[in-house]
Amino acid sequence: MTETQYLSLIAQAFAWIERAAEGWDAQHDLDLETTRNGSSVLELEFPSRQKIITNAQAPTQQLWLASPLGAHHFVREGDAWIDTRGAGRFEAVFQQHAARLSGLPLQVPPMV
């Protein structure tokens, strides 16, 4: 994959996270804060002040996710970001972390 394609996929993933956060705000009246640090880091902060941090790792073309619950590295396989240690798709791992940090049964929209 070219660097341009990789960066486009990262931008799509970050936009997906922001849409999910907006939906949770509307559905559960959560006070979530999303912060971008350039084009390579996106932080999602929960009312508890705990965060999920996602960032692009351009040299390895990976998408990383970290929270108090652990860290994951994802590589692109076909049409999905897949955890390098077998935890599954990015969407599912992100949803699990968000649900546990919020204490709510949060659902995520499909990542397209």
Side-chain angles (χ1 to χ4, degrees), residues 7-24 34-36 38-44 54 63 81 90-91 94 108-112:
L7 294 174
S8 176
L9 291 169
I10 291 296
Q12 290 171 22
F14 285 6
W16 175 84
I17 291 167
E18 290 170 329
R19 282 192 310 276
E22 289 170 5
W24 298 334
T34 58
T35 307
R36 284 194 188 222
S39 61
S40 62
V41 178
L42 175 66
E43 296 182 5
L44 175 62
T54 50
L63 172 60
W81 290 102
F90 176 79
E91 303 97 290
F94 180 82
V108 294
M111 185 183 275
V112 208

Side-chain angles (χ1 to χ4, degrees), residues 73-112:
H73 300 173
F74 298 86
V75 294
R76 192 69 180 190
E77 291 184 13
D79 65 347
W81 290 102
I82 304 296
D83 183 74
T84 60
R85 295 189 199 140
R89 295 172 68 107
F90 176 79
E91 303 97 290
V93 173
F94 180 82
Q95 185 269 336
Q96 292 166 359
H97 283 242
R100 290 201 41 210
L101 293 178
S102 70
L104 296 168
L106 301 178
Q107 300 298 313
V108 294
M111 185 183 275
V112 208

